[in-house]
Amino acid sequence: MDWTTHHVFNQFPELYDYGPLATDPALCEALARTGAGWARPALDGYAARLGRAETYALAEQANRHLPELRRFDSRGRRIDALEFHPSWHALMALYRGQGLVSLPFKETRAGRWAAWAAGFYLHGQVEQGTLCPATMTQAAIPLLQKEPALWAQLQERLYSNAYDARDLPAADKASIWLGMGMTEKQGGSDVRANTTVATPVGAGGRGGEYLLRGHKWFFSAPQCDAHLVTARVQEGGPFACFYVPRWRPDGSRNAVRVQRLKDKLGNRSNASGEVEFEDAWGVLMGEEGRGIPTIIEMAGYTRLNCVAGSAAILRQAAVQAIAYARRRHAFGKALAEQPLMRAVLADLALESEAALVLLMRLAEAFEREGNGDPAQRAWKRAMTPAAKFWVCKRAVELTGEAMEVFGGNGYVEDGVMARLFREAPVNSIWEGSGNVMCLDVLRALAREPEAARALLAELQPAAQGEPRIAAALQGLQALLAAPADELEALGRVLAQRLVLVAQACLLRAHAPACVADAFIATRLEGGGAGRVAGAIDTRGMDAGAILARAFAG
């Protein structure tokens, strides 16, 4: 007898070779109701490519073969070049070729933001690191559009769908990527503690030219062709925002010295670095003294992307867990048929759809904010940071729950679950951690009380015939009426309740009754906080219908 082999059974790999859009009824419905049906053919094709086993393999390779910093060339010249595995370039080219980087700004049809959100959400289910430079490039576009001279130089390359990985001056490339540099050692999220100094070139700044000296502790995607950077104008002066390219106009390398790359927990396919500016050349954007508001405008867009990225992680975790539990057997039947496991899977499914419906409503607000509707402003300026706070934190917790569905096999690096788990925290931390988001929610609601009232008025119809939503809305209004000196300490309570009520109302309006009822029962009754995933009362809940909708595969 050959004792070196044995029959392997009841073991299944993670899910590959499936259609992530075709199996997602909630996303298909969202595209239809937001007017983005015109984008379906392109998104269907993109989703089909993303769902292939070879695309998942590219994601695994890009996160195993990490970017490397090469400071000098073979003759000792300082080049600060970043070298990536071919899998990274393949995934970057895939996203760029889909036109998603510039879609919300280049396209004029209704539903453009929803179409972008869907593409980002689909890509993020497979690989997240490549979305970091894409996020920052997209977020820089509306800022650069306000700078006519810069925009004239960069528009064609920012709108290009061609992927160009060459390290050359922007003028010599088919397309470019932009990053951002805010964070310094001493300040973290407190950007006003930054010490990097920009000195005008010539009297008063020759054509808005400055030289920057200082450091950035987190410099996102240092391989990008340019970065938007905050710095003080002169020592102790006001803050300004600068466009700092990788190459100077004369064709020489700019003095942005990459000191090292961060050894990060997750988002490992993407490079983050520490840099020193040694009289790096930059161009003033906007006015001196307006640097913080300028970069915060950029952060508003990147925060939406954080919500989309975390919603994508929640979706992939839920789908992988459901697909595995349907095939894996224990104690005589499939895991997905075991009552306690069904409770866990249904809870994951509810969280995922709630995150998606909120994301798509935020995308609508970004598209419609310019029409003067105060409710759209509230969705964009108050609900976006609230969503970033809540959805990103839910992704951190629930990727761990989804990993448990796989048992020990989910804990090893051979499949996607461990990468999802490591990836989840970055969106909660990047662009402002939880407390920063809650403080932004409070500031936005206090600054525009009429927008807050318009937001609550929009949610009110969902309370008709639904006393649990009505009670939650009343509690939210009472909380908003609390004195300002008390409300700051309750910032997390407010942000959580705001999101849960909004998600409940959106699901009531757009999801099947089985989903909306289950979400309301498990999130609004008893406050929806402090519970373990799956610790829900499934009596009277149609868990089977919820799971069938969650992954229609």
Side-chain angles (χ1 to χ4, degrees), residues 46-170:
Y46 191 50
R49 283 184 287 166
L50 288 169
R52 294 173 185 164
E54 52 263 39
T55 309
Y56 277 88
L58 289 173
E60 189 278 328
Q61 292 163 13
N63 284 273
R64 179 159 45 89
H65 302 285
L66 307 186
E68 296 182 358
L69 171 63
R70 188 159 65 95
R71 290 194 181 89
F72 302 94
D73 69 9
S74 61
R75 294 298 179 264
R77 289 181 286 263
R78 185 76 185 251
I79 57 173
D80 287 333
L82 273 74
E83 297 178 348
F84 291 85
H85 190 265
S87 56
W88 165 270
H89 296 296
L91 290 164
M92 291 284 283
L94 189 64
Y95 190 85
R96 189 94 200 205
Q98 193 65 22
L100 293 165
V101 171
S102 59
L103 175 63
F105 304 104
K106 185 166 63 173
E107 180 60 66
T108 58
R109 283 176 286 186
R112 57 190 177 275
W113 274 98
W116 160 78
F120 190 100
Y121 176 77
L122 290 165
H123 188 104
Q125 293 177 46
V126 180
E127 210 286 315
Q128 293 257 331
T130 40
L131 293 176
C132 180
T135 289
M136 295 182 294
T137 302
Q138 181 202 69
I141 288 175
L143 276 67
L144 289 165
Q145 287 175 330
K146 299 176 183 178
E147 306 292 329
L150 270 176
W151 183 242
Q153 298 174 32
L154 303 176
Q155 177 182 359
E156 181 180 351
R157 292 164 183 84
L158 287 169
Y159 278 2
S160 173
N161 296 343
Y163 177 61
D164 190 341
R166 295 176 297 169
D167 188 7
L168 296 172

Side-chain angles (χ1 to χ4, degrees), residues 23-358:
T23 57
D24 190 345
L27 180 56
C28 295
E29 293 164 11
L31 288 168
R33 71 170 174 269
T34 56
W38 53 266
R40 272 298 301 270
L43 288 170
D44 281 331
Y46 191 50
R49 283 184 287 166
L50 288 169
R52 294 173 185 164
E54 52 263 39
T55 309
Y56 277 88
L58 289 173
E60 189 278 328
Q61 292 163 13
N63 284 273
R64 179 159 45 89
H65 302 285
L66 307 186
E68 296 182 358
L69 171 63
R70 188 159 65 95
R71 290 194 181 89
F72 302 94
D73 69 9
S74 61
R75 294 298 179 264
R77 289 181 286 263
R78 185 76 185 251
I79 57 173
D80 287 333
L82 273 74
E83 297 178 348
F84 291 85
H85 190 265
S87 56
W88 165 270
H89 296 296
L91 290 164
M92 291 284 283
L94 189 64
Y95 190 85
R96 189 94 200 205
Q98 193 65 22
L100 293 165
V101 171
S102 59
L103 175 63
F105 304 104
K106 185 166 63 173
E107 180 60 66
T108 58
R109 283 176 286 186
R112 57 190 177 275
W113 274 98
W116 160 78
F120 190 100
Y121 176 77
L122 290 165
H123 188 104
Q125 293 177 46
V126 180
E127 210 286 315
Q128 293 257 331
T130 40
L131 293 176
C132 180
T135 289
M136 295 182 294
T137 302
Q138 181 202 69
I141 288 175
L143 276 67
L144 289 165
Q145 287 175 330
K146 299 176 183 178
E147 306 292 329
L150 270 176
W151 183 242
Q153 298 174 32
L154 303 176
Q155 177 182 359
E156 181 180 351
R157 292 164 183 84
L158 287 169
Y159 278 2
S160 173
N161 296 343
Y163 177 61
D164 190 341
R166 295 176 297 169
D167 188 7
L168 296 172
D172 298 330
K173 297 187 65 174
S175 65
I176 58 173
W177 300 91
L178 271 65
M180 62 193 304
M182 292 190 295
T183 308
E184 298 185 6
K185 300 184 187 79
Q186 69 282 351
S189 296
D190 184 6
V191 181
R192 296 186 187 278
N194 287 1
T195 60
T196 297
V197 172
T199 303
V201 176
R206 185 185 65 218
E209 298 178 39
Y210 288 72
L211 297 179
L212 279 68
R213 294 193 70 84
H215 77 282
K216 294 295 174 183
W217 184 238
F218 278 94
F219 200 64
S220 295
Q223 76 277 10
C224 286
D225 299 284
H227 288 75
L228 303 191
V229 175
T230 52
R232 291 185 180 274
V233 179
Q234 306 289 13
E235 192 80 33
F239 285 101
C241 181
F242 299 90
Y243 172 85
V244 181
R246 189 162 167 78
W247 295 77
R248 292 171 177 258
D250 63 7
S252 63
R253 291 184 182 274
N254 208 357
V256 180
R257 310 303 186 197
V258 183
Q259 302 301 309
R260 65 169 177 167
L261 299 184
K262 298 289 192 180
D263 185 9
K264 298 174 294 182
L265 169 69
N267 207 247
R268 293 176 69 79
S269 66
N270 176 53
S272 300
E274 299 170 24
V275 301
E276 291 284 341
F277 302 123
E278 299 176 357
D279 286 336
W281 182 87
V283 178
L284 176 67
M285 294 183 60
E287 304 173 8
E288 293 183 0
R290 295 289 299 167
I292 304 301
T294 298
I295 209 72
I296 285 177
E297 180 183 348
M298 184 178 181
Y301 290 94
T302 57
R303 288 170 179 176
L304 176 66
N305 290 44
C306 287
V307 176
S310 289
I313 289 173
L314 282 167
R315 171 67 185 173
Q316 182 67 185
V319 165
Q320 291 288 349
I322 292 168
Y324 184 74
R326 285 174 176 171
R327 293 179 292 172
R328 174 83 169 177
H329 283 70
F331 310 112
K333 56 184 176 181
L335 286 179
E337 297 173 2
Q338 306 280 359
L340 193 52
M341 180 59 77
R342 286 172 75 84
V344 172
L345 297 175
D347 218 6
L348 294 174
L350 292 172
E351 198 71 45
S352 174
E353 183 158 352
L356 173 64
V357 75
L358 180 60

Side-chain angles (χ1 to χ4, degrees), residues 378 381-383 385 439-449 451-452:
R381 300 178 188 180
M383 193 65 80
L439 293 172
D440 279 359
V441 173
L442 292 172
R443 278 191 288 268
L445 294 174
R447 190 179 298 121
E448 296 191 63

Side-chain angles (χ1 to χ4, degrees), residues 14 265 324 399-422:
E14 282 87 350
L265 169 69
Y324 184 74
T399 48
E401 284 291 346
M403 183 185 291
E404 280 194 34
V405 174
F406 289 81
N409 289 334
Y411 193 67
V412 297
E413 296 285 357
D414 295 337
V416 302
M417 298 310 299
R419 186 169 75 250
L420 286 176
F421 184 71
R422 286 188 285 100

Side-chain angles (χ1 to χ4, degrees), residues 26-27 30-31 33-34 113-118 304 307 353-369 371 373-381 383-384 387 451 454-459 499 502-503 505-507 509-510:
L27 180 56
L31 288 168
R33 71 170 174 269
T34 56
W113 274 98
W116 160 78
L304 176 66
V307 176
E353 183 158 352
L356 173 64
V357 75
L358 180 60
L359 165 65
M360 300 307 276
R361 180 60 185 88
L362 291 174
E364 285 188 88
F366 272 69
E367 183 169 317
R368 296 161 54 191
E369 189 212 7
N371 67 10
D373 182 354
Q376 306 308 320
R377 292 201 308 274
W379 278 100
K380 182 178 179 182
R381 300 178 188 180
M383 193 65 80
T384 298
L455 172 61
L456 293 176
E458 181 181 314
L459 298 176
V499 172
Q503 288 177 325
C505 293
L506 290 168
L507 289 172
H510 304 304

